[in-house]
């Protein structure tokens, strides 16, 4: 049964604080799809790991699927850890506390941002045909990722979508840290997250029994299996 932790946060009470609750991203997508109560929506998957989840959500709910290219800006010595995120329209979110704690220099930060900008532009070209978004005015956008740790990736996505004339912006993630969930919930109309966990340590992968990286070629194959929404010439 769906329950609420706040007015616009929907989770599953029996999954709170649990790990290894999803077999894989496809199972997670089915779980989210069963919770969502939205109409006239477009599902926007964040690559890479958010696309398998989003494809399942779109297929089950009968919504069109598009790609919202946002990428973590990762530490030079740890490509799994991010100190911010950059979206397709240039929207940037930086974790200034982590930057200070890790001792990153301004030059290293600038280099990381530029490297990520190139990565984002490449994915927009490859996955979106060079045109970042479909027409979204008056619609509901359901933004999907495979998990919510710090929240910077979703924050950058929300900032990029805000000027698009959307009726509603909804976030949907299988698993999320309680603190980040609360932060993101203040920026969207609704947030669906079946598995909310708290505590000082949080890893998205801990919610999954089977976890692996997703390549861009795998994303392209997934997009072919679901009705995708044609993109426009503008980024919104």
């Amino acid at each position: 049964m769906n329950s609420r932790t706040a007015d616009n946060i929907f989770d599953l009470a029996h999954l709170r604080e649990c790990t290894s609750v999803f077999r894989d991203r496809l199972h997670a997508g089915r779980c989210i799809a069963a919770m969502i109560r939205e109409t006239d929506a477009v599902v926007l998957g964040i690559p890479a790991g958010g696309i398998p989840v989003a494809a399942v959500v779109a297929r089950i709910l009968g919504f069109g699927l598009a790609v919202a290219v946002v990428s973590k800006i990762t530490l030079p010595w740890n490509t799994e850890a991010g100190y911010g995120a950059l979206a397709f329209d240039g929207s940037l979110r930086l974790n200034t506390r982590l930057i200070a704690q890790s001792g990153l220099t301004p030059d290293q930060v600038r280099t990381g941002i530029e490297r990520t900008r190139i990565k984002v532009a490449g994915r927009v070209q490859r996955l979106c045909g060079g045109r970042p978004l479909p027409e979204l005015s008056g619609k509901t956008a359901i933004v999907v990722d495979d998990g919510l740790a710090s929240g910077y990736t979703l924050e950058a996505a929300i900032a990029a979508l805000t000027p698009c004339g959307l009726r509603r912006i909804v976030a949907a993630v299988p698993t999320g840290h309680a603190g980040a969930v609360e932060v993101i919930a203040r920026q969207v109309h609704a947030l669906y997250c079946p598995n909310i966990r708290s505590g000082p340590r949080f890893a998205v992968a801990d919610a999954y029994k089977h976890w692996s990286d997703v390549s861009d070629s795998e994303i392209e194959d997934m997009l072919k299996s679901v009705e995708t929404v044609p993109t426009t010439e503008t980024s919104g």
Side-chain angles (χ1 to χ4, degrees):
M1 176 181 294
N2 292 7
S3 61
R4 296 178 180 226
T5 57
D7 284 346
N8 69 333
I9 300 174
F10 301 87
D11 76 331
L12 296 177
H14 67 282
L15 296 185
R16 291 176 191 164
E17 306 300 344
C18 297
T19 56
S20 300
V21 296
F22 307 114
R23 288 189 299 276
D24 51 24
R25 291 182 177 94
L26 304 186
H27 177 212
R30 290 193 291 271
C31 184
I32 289 179
M35 297 172 65
I36 291 175
R37 300 291 181 266
E38 303 291 338
T39 59
D40 190 23
V42 175
V43 178
L44 299 176
I46 296 178
I51 298 297
V53 184
V56 171
V57 172
R59 185 165 56 245
I60 290 176
L61 298 181
F63 296 150
L65 174 67
V67 179
V69 180
V70 185
S71 182
K72 288 190 301 185
I73 306 167
T74 59
L75 294 168
W77 54 85
N78 183 353
T79 56
E80 295 301 315
Y83 59 88
L86 182 75
F88 55 86
D89 73 331
S91 293
L92 176 67
R93 293 293 183 271
L94 293 176
N95 186 338
T96 53
R97 179 183 298 179
L98 180 58
I99 289 171
Q101 290 175 343
S102 58
L104 285 169
T105 66
D107 281 345
Q108 286 176 313
V109 173
R110 283 192 291 270
T111 298
I113 293 172
E114 184 55 31
R115 183 176 61 245
T116 306
R117 197 180 306 279
I118 293 169
K119 177 181 178 180
V120 167
R123 276 184 163 168
V124 168
Q125 188 64 43
R126 180 172 182 178
L127 302 177
C128 310
R131 298 178 295 275
L133 287 180
E135 174 55 52
L136 296 174
S137 180
K139 295 183 179 295
T140 293
I142 303 174
V143 189
V144 178
D145 206 349
D146 56 5
L148 178 59
S150 67
Y152 287 92
T153 299
L154 262 178
E155 282 200 35
I158 293 164
L161 292 170
T162 298
C164 294
L166 286 156
R167 183 171 60 88
R168 286 167 61 83
I169 299 178
V170 173
V173 290
T175 184
H177 187 275
V181 166
E182 291 177 4
V183 169
I184 296 299
R186 292 194 288 269
Q187 303 174 41
V188 296
H189 293 88
L191 190 155
Y192 296 89
C193 183
N195 172 234
I196 297 178
R197 290 179 277 140
S198 58
R201 181 188 175 277
F202 179 90
V204 169
D206 287 347
Y208 296 85
K209 294 176 183 177
H210 302 288
W211 175 266
S212 61
D213 291 336
V214 180
S215 69
D216 282 2
S217 60
E218 288 176 301
I219 293 173
E220 290 177 293
D221 289 340
M222 292 172 198
L223 294 174
K224 293 174 185 176
S225 69
V226 180
E227 181 181 357
T228 54
V229 182
T231 52
T232 61
E233 294 293 340
T234 64
S235 64

